[in-house]
Amino acid sequence: MIITRLEERKTIKDIKNIVKHLRMKLKIKSGNTIDVCKILDLYKFEISPIEHWEDSRVHAYYNSYEKKIYIREDIYERACNNYGRDRMTITHEIGHHILHSDCSISEIGRMNNSFCCANKEWQAKVFAGEFLCPSNYSLTKMSIEKISKKFGISTTAAEIQKNRAKKLAQKRKEEKK
């Protein structure tokens, strides 16, 4: 089964709208650090020690057939202790659950359709970034370090979100001309 349906190709705008509605539904105010472990409690998930994982490089994954997120115990614990990269990992998997509940990422990885897999991974990354740190104009005025601390994300994720905010601001500026 190769998954390439058009409706699965979501744009940044589509994902930002999904995130906006989810944040409203969960009553999450903009500018607040999100308790990822509390949000995760809304979904079916399983935590297991690293020694139970065949590939220790895998931190977490989503299985759409089971509608379940699997997380390594060390990743979960660090996310609950506000370690930015692991907060992003868990939110990324929540993104797969919300955006891609119709196919298993582990199965997509075995397919010869790299666009499909890459697109879904990109979408989940955008979801995680926008959910934890929405790209808006105020980010353009903040340092990467301040964004990282304020939203509880890594400096790499903060830089990506700040650049996304800059592009958005530039696009809106051009549209006004």
Side-chain angles (χ1 to χ4, degrees):
M1 177 170 97
I2 296 179
I3 303 162
T4 57
R5 294 190 309 261
L6 183 59
E7 63 268 21
E8 292 179 3
R9 296 181 184 163
K10 294 172 181 68
T11 65
I12 291 175
K13 185 177 180 181
D14 296 334
I15 296 167
K16 284 175 74 87
N17 283 332
I18 291 166
V19 165
K20 179 182 173 185
H21 290 288
L22 179 61
R23 289 176 68 99
M24 285 174 33
K25 184 178 178 181
L26 297 175
K27 297 179 180 155
I28 298 170
K29 294 181 180 176
S30 188
N32 291 348
T33 301
I34 296 171
D35 184 342
V36 171
C37 294
K38 186 176 179 181
I39 300 295
L40 185 60
D41 286 338
L42 302 173
Y43 301 97
K44 186 177 172 185
F45 69 98
E46 182 176 309
I47 299 166
S48 58
I50 190 171
E51 48 282 350
H52 293 176
W53 290 61
E54 287 180 31
D55 185 349
S56 64
R57 296 172 295 176
V58 176
H59 295 174
Y61 67 94
Y62 175 67
N63 182 312
S64 66
Y65 296 113
E66 297 176 14
K67 306 282 189 241
K68 191 174 191 177
I69 298 169
Y70 290 87
I71 307 163
R72 272 189 6 211
E73 184 177 43
D74 58 324
I75 301 301
Y76 177 79
E77 288 172 3
R78 287 195 310 247
C80 292
N81 287 314
N82 291 321
Y83 185 70
R85 184 174 187 269
D86 296 326
R87 287 169 37 78
M88 189 67 80
T89 296
I90 289 175
T91 308
H92 174 99
E93 298 309 326
I94 292 170
H96 280 304
H97 173 74
I98 291 169
L99 301 170
H100 312 128
S101 60
D102 59 340
C103 61
S104 169
I105 295 306
S106 60
E107 285 196 10
I108 291 171
R110 285 179 254 160
M111 293 180 191
N112 290 327
N113 186 346
S114 61
F115 170 77
C116 181
C117 185
N119 190 39
K120 288 190 180 298
E121 286 303 305
W122 173 84
Q123 290 172 9
K125 285 179 185 177
V126 170
F127 175 91
E130 290 297 322
F131 188 74
L132 293 177
C133 176
S135 59
N136 58 40
Y137 301 122
S138 62
L139 291 184
T140 62
K141 299 170 185 148
M142 297 169 68
S143 71
I144 290 169
E145 291 75 22
K146 187 172 182 178
I147 294 168
S148 174
K149 284 183 182 178
K150 180 176 176 76
F151 294 98
I153 59 176
S154 68
T155 54
T156 301
E159 184 175 10
I160 290 167
Q161 289 307 103
K162 182 173 181 166
N163 288 337
R164 189 170 287 138
K166 284 180 181 178
K167 287 178 185 176
L168 179 62
Q170 183 62 36
K171 184 178 178 182
R172 291 208 174 154
K173 190 176 178 181
E174 290 171 3
E175 287 173 355
K176 287 183 180 181
K177 289 182 181 181

